[in-house]
Amino acid sequence: MANDMLKLLDKLNIAETDIVGWSDGGIIGLDLAMRPPERAKRLVAFGADYDVDGWDNDKCPLSPAEEVNDPTPDYYKRLAPDPTHWPVFHEKIIEMWRTQSRYGVADLGAIKAPTLILAGEFDCVKREHTDQLAKASSGGREEIIKGATHDAPLLQPDVVNPPILNFLE
């Protein structure tokens, strides 16, 4: 997916950009900021892991989309061009979560952009993993959103957006 984003940036003649991503989008942001690092001006990643071991399966089962209160299926069905594609999309996402990402701390050191790592207090990503991600990124800063979960960007944008906007100013 990061390769697709790089191709899009090239097509749009965007040499350098700020990157903001949540969950899988945050992982894509990490990937974009690592290769080539000069493309990223600033990076914000919310609820991103850099290795599959960072996901807390006790807090959030590998298939959170099957949880009763998970907004993801309804969100997808409202916004997708073909809402009936949900089962196929869901299976592909589950496989991706089982196998990706697999970066090491040394890989993260390639990130040169100022970086804001955000997570919910009750995020699905292990807190020590989030801490390590912030420390490994060059110029990394960490902020934990009190009372928030992994879905805070979707469910609580009024709480999540201000630190992002402040960082990007």
Side-chain angles (χ1 to χ4, degrees), residues 2 6 9 14 23 40 52 57 68 77 79 90 94-95 119 130 134 147:
L6 287 170
L9 291 171
I14 299 172
S23 195
V52 293
N57 287 311
V68 174
K77 290 171 186 173
L79 298 177
H90 182 245
I94 296 300
E95 180 60 23
T130 299

Side-chain angles (χ1 to χ4, degrees), residues 51-160:
D51 186 272
V52 293
D53 293 334
W55 190 261
D56 189 336
N57 287 311
D58 293 331
K59 276 189 189 173
C60 301
L62 190 56
S63 182
E66 294 173 0
E67 296 294 310
V68 174
N69 295 323
D70 185 4
T72 309
D74 289 335
Y75 186 72
Y76 179 90
K77 290 171 186 173
R78 276 195 327 268
L79 298 177
D82 179 3
T84 64
H85 192 66
W86 169 254
V88 173
F89 172 79
H90 182 245
E91 283 306 311
K92 287 180 178 181
I93 291 294
I94 296 300
E95 180 60 23
M96 181 180 72
W97 289 342
R98 285 188 184 114
T99 60
Q100 298 175 33
S101 56
R102 296 238 182 244
Y103 301 114
V105 173
D107 298 318
L108 299 171
I111 298 172
K112 302 302 178 207
T115 303
L116 174 61
I117 302 300
L118 295 164
E121 179 181 9
F122 304 107
D123 208 290
C124 298
V125 177
K126 296 172 185 172
R127 177 62 184 273
E128 60 272 13
H129 192 86
T130 299
D131 296 344
Q132 185 61 48
L133 175 56
K135 288 176 189 167
S137 308
S138 177
R141 195 173 105 205
E142 178 180 19
E143 190 167 330
I144 304 300
I145 308 292
K146 290 203 178 285
T149 67
H150 189 70
D151 291 324
L154 178 63
L155 302 176
Q156 297 174 280
D158 55 319
V159 176
V160 174

